[in-house]
Amino acid sequence: MTKYGSFPGTRPRRLRTSPAMRRMVAETRLHPADFILPAFVREGVSEPVPIAAMPGVVQHTRDSLKKAAVEALEAGVSGIMLFGVPEDEKKDAVGTPGTDPDGILQIAIRDVRAEVGDELLVMSDLCLDETTDHGHCGVLDEQGRVDNDATLERYAEMAQVQADAGAHIVGPSGMMDGQIGVVRDALDQIGREDVAILAYTAKYSSAFYGPFREAVASSLRGDRKTYQQDPANVRESMRELALDLEEGADMVMVKPAGPYLDVLAKVAESVDVPVAAYQISGEYSMIEAAAEKGWIDRDKAILETLTGIKRAGAQNILTYWATEAAQKLGRQ
């Protein structure tokens, strides 16, 4: 006894006494297979182009992309999500490079598949924003608004050319109503029932996409608030989730990850399909910038944020640190 009362009989700190103890009782464990590497490939460049807003990330050449895919595979990463950046003069109102079999994204899919085969999942961004001269994720009508149903027709074509190029998984990311059902039908019509769909189920209109605009050389005019989700809403995400599953989504995703861990947890508790989260460019850039200033420990911050995303319910995490994080885990 002390003059302040009894000493505690239950001491949770006993399970925190050493690295070995903490490792044994850890409730959440990261594994290299949790990660998917987003990667950009730019048409018409002979050397990788650094992305100023995302230190350490580049717009790849075809050759450097293949090397990055092999490095990710060797680190134990599960997949690579490809984004194509066509030459500006090839962009047009309907995003023609997105459905051209010789568009940069389709070429990149074939390149990576030839390099890694089926050992690394080759995933493709299925959206028009990188290929349109106006930078929106869909076709515009006469009033300059995104035309949902005209866009769905373009997505169907994109799904088919990406599957033909060798994509294992397509990721419709434009937040058009009905996009999962249309993509599934388009794939099935060409006998590609084997190609899976990762649905960008809850993709929010976020300020954290800023650095991504540079990464894909975006031509965006205006904003995407009429089709991406309002950051204030959660029930809306659950409605989107129900629709995507009904339409045939094989996997679902929340994007961004860090600012929407509550949404991620709610989605993960509600489904029996794999759940992914995308740690986006702004999340990456903030940590890199703070670390460069000496304000935080970079390596610890990376693993802590990834652990938080997995703890919230993500089975897979798209992160620009995928290969690096996998290598660090492999050395532990």
Side-chain angles (χ1 to χ4, degrees), residues 176-246:
M176 297 297 120
D177 295 339
Q179 63 184 13
I180 302 303
V182 166
V183 167
R184 183 72 271 160
D185 286 346
L187 292 168
D188 292 351
Q189 285 175 18
I190 61 170
R192 296 309 307 272
E193 296 87 355
D194 58 317
V195 175
I197 299 175
L198 170 61
Y200 282 61
T201 292
K203 183 179 180 181
Y204 284 88
S205 179
S206 173
F208 291 93
Y209 294 132
F212 184 87
R213 306 280 190 254
E214 178 189 349
V216 297
S218 175
S219 304
L220 180 64
R221 299 192 292 270
D223 59 48
R224 297 178 174 138
K225 295 183 183 297
T226 63
Y227 46 101
Q228 292 180 351
Q229 284 185 236
D230 186 338
N233 295 347
V234 178
R235 286 196 301 272
E236 183 180 28
S237 293
M238 304 312 291
R239 187 182 186 198
E240 293 279 5
L241 175 64
L243 290 167
D244 283 353
L245 293 174
E246 181 181 346

Side-chain angles (χ1 to χ4, degrees), residues 204-206 208 229-232 254-265:
Y204 284 88
S205 179
S206 173
F208 291 93
Q229 284 185 236
D230 186 338
V254 175
K255 180 181 182 181
Y260 298 91
L261 293 181
D262 60 323
V263 180
L264 174 59

Side-chain angles (χ1 to χ4, degrees), residues 3-331:
K3 64 180 180 179
Y4 303 109
S6 300
F7 287 114
T10 301
R11 296 180 183 268
R13 286 183 57 192
R14 281 193 285 261
L15 300 183
R16 306 171 195 150
T17 54
S18 69
M21 179 68 80
R22 293 191 294 273
R23 185 169 60 248
M24 185 181 76
V25 301
E27 299 172 29
T28 304
R29 300 179 192 277
L30 292 171
H31 188 277
D34 297 337
F35 304 135
I36 296 164
L37 175 67
F40 308 101
V41 57
R42 179 171 170 178
E43 187 172 25
V45 295
S46 57
E47 297 290 337
V49 179
I51 299 169
M54 300 176 68
V57 180
V58 302
Q59 294 172 328
H60 284 287
T61 67
R62 290 173 61 185
D63 285 340
S64 69
L65 176 65
K66 290 187 286 187
K67 293 176 182 176
V70 170
E71 186 180 20
L73 172 61
E74 292 174 344
V77 171
S78 285
I80 184 167
M81 174 66 82
L82 302 179
F83 297 83
V85 183
E87 295 174 317
D88 284 343
E89 58 268 23
K90 293 185 179 179
K91 297 180 181 181
D92 59 22
V94 297
T96 296
T99 50
D100 181 354
D102 293 321
I104 184 58
L105 179 54
Q106 287 68 252
I107 290 173
I109 294 169
R110 291 195 293 270
D111 283 346
V112 176
R113 273 301 301 271
E115 197 74 17
V116 300
D118 294 324
E119 294 184 72
L120 181 72
L121 291 171
V122 179
M123 311 166 78
S124 54
D125 179 59
L126 201 164
C127 196
L128 290 171
D129 58 322
E130 296 100 10
T131 60
T132 53
D133 55 11
H134 47 73
H136 278 285
C137 297
V139 179
L140 304 184
D141 63 17
E142 293 179 356
Q143 286 75 46
R145 302 169 301 189
V146 175
D147 186 325
N148 191 93
D149 295 357
T151 300
L152 293 181
E153 293 184 16
R154 298 292 293 137
Y155 285 3
E157 295 178 59
M158 291 182 74
Q160 291 178 341
V161 297
Q162 290 178 4
D164 285 341
H168 295 104
I169 301 170
V170 296
S173 61
M175 291 300 290
M176 297 297 120
D177 295 339
Q179 63 184 13
I180 302 303
V182 166
V183 167
R184 183 72 271 160
D185 286 346
L187 292 168
D188 292 351
Q189 285 175 18
I190 61 170
R192 296 309 307 272
E193 296 87 355
D194 58 317
V195 175
I197 299 175
L198 170 61
Y200 282 61
T201 292
K203 183 179 180 181
Y204 284 88
S205 179
S206 173
F208 291 93
Y209 294 132
F212 184 87
R213 306 280 190 254
E214 178 189 349
V216 297
S218 175
S219 304
L220 180 64
R221 299 192 292 270
D223 59 48
R224 297 178 174 138
K225 295 183 183 297
T226 63
Y227 46 101
Q228 292 180 351
Q229 284 185 236
D230 186 338
N233 295 347
V234 178
R235 286 196 301 272
E236 183 180 28
S237 293
M238 304 312 291
R239 187 182 186 198
E240 293 279 5
L241 175 64
L243 290 167
D244 283 353
L245 293 174
E246 181 181 346
E247 293 172 23
D250 299 290
M251 298 168 278
V252 297
M253 184 159 69
V254 175
K255 180 181 182 181
Y260 298 91
L261 293 181
D262 60 323
V263 180
L264 174 59
K266 195 172 181 67
V267 168
E269 290 171 358
S270 304
V271 300
D272 57 4
V273 299
V275 176
Y278 197 145
Q279 186 182 50
I280 66 169
S281 58
E283 298 175 74
Y284 173 94
S285 297
M286 286 192 301
I287 289 176
E288 291 289 348
E292 191 275 330
K293 291 284 189 180
W295 293 340
I296 61 173
D297 183 309
R298 177 183 179 274
D299 290 356
K300 290 180 179 178
I302 290 170
L303 293 180
E304 183 176 339
T305 57
L306 294 172
T307 300
I309 294 166
K310 187 172 182 181
R311 188 184 64 243
Q315 183 172 335
N316 296 109
I317 304 169
L318 283 80
T319 174
Y320 299 99
W321 290 302
T323 301
E324 180 183 350
Q327 290 169 340
K328 291 182 189 299
L329 293 171
R331 290 193 291 267

